[in-house]
Amino acid sequence: MVLLTGGLLTGCGESGSRAGTGTSSGSPSPSATPREIVCARIVAYWSRKVLDSDTYGDYQSMGLSNGQYEILRDVVDAARAEKKRNGAQAAERLIDRRARAGCEDWYRGGGPTAGPWQ
């Protein structure tokens, strides 16, 4: 009986592991999505929603900051003109490009920290 117990004890756990924690010491933590990419996704999403509308809506109900809302207005104005000239698919591509560029510029300049509610 002593041999059986001794055999069970030596087989438990690995040297250097963090048994019972559910984590291993070698796995990296997940990385966060860069804020300019999150901004571009949000702006592009709402730009598509308001593209065919007569209004832009309320930036607060969209969850946008004032700065993001300004980007959205620029994107939608350009997308409306592009849609008239070259169709819906061209407007879709323009939305993605303009939202990404606008958000990259905005965050390069400080983003929402540049002002009290920017």
Side-chain angles (χ1 to χ4, degrees):
M1 182 142 99
V2 174
L3 290 175
L4 180 59
T5 307
L8 291 174
L9 289 176
T10 59
C12 294
E14 294 178 32
S15 176
S17 71
R18 296 167 62 185
T21 62
T23 62
S24 67
S25 59
S27 64
S29 62
S31 61
T33 303
R35 57 192 182 170
E36 58 273 7
I37 292 174
V38 173
C39 170
R41 288 177 184 167
I42 293 167
V43 169
Y45 171 83
W46 284 110
S47 294
R48 286 181 174 88
K49 290 284 188 187
V50 301
L51 180 61
D52 294 321
S53 175
D54 292 336
T55 183
Y56 294 98
D58 175 49
Y59 74 96
Q60 290 175 327
S61 68
M62 295 176 186
L64 300 174
S65 69
N66 185 47
Q68 291 168 329
Y69 189 67
E70 291 299 319
I71 296 167
L72 174 128
R73 290 173 49 134
D74 291 341
V75 168
V76 171
D77 286 347
R80 285 177 178 159
E82 182 70 10
K83 187 175 180 180
K84 285 180 184 177
R85 284 190 308 268
N86 298 311
Q89 287 183 339
E92 291 282 326
R93 290 188 300 270
L94 181 137
I95 286 171
D96 290 332
R97 283 192 316 272
R98 284 286 191 85
R100 185 175 49 251
C103 288
E104 286 172 355
D105 287 345
W106 187 54
Y107 276 100
R108 193 176 306 117
T113 59
W117 55 287
Q118 299 292 315

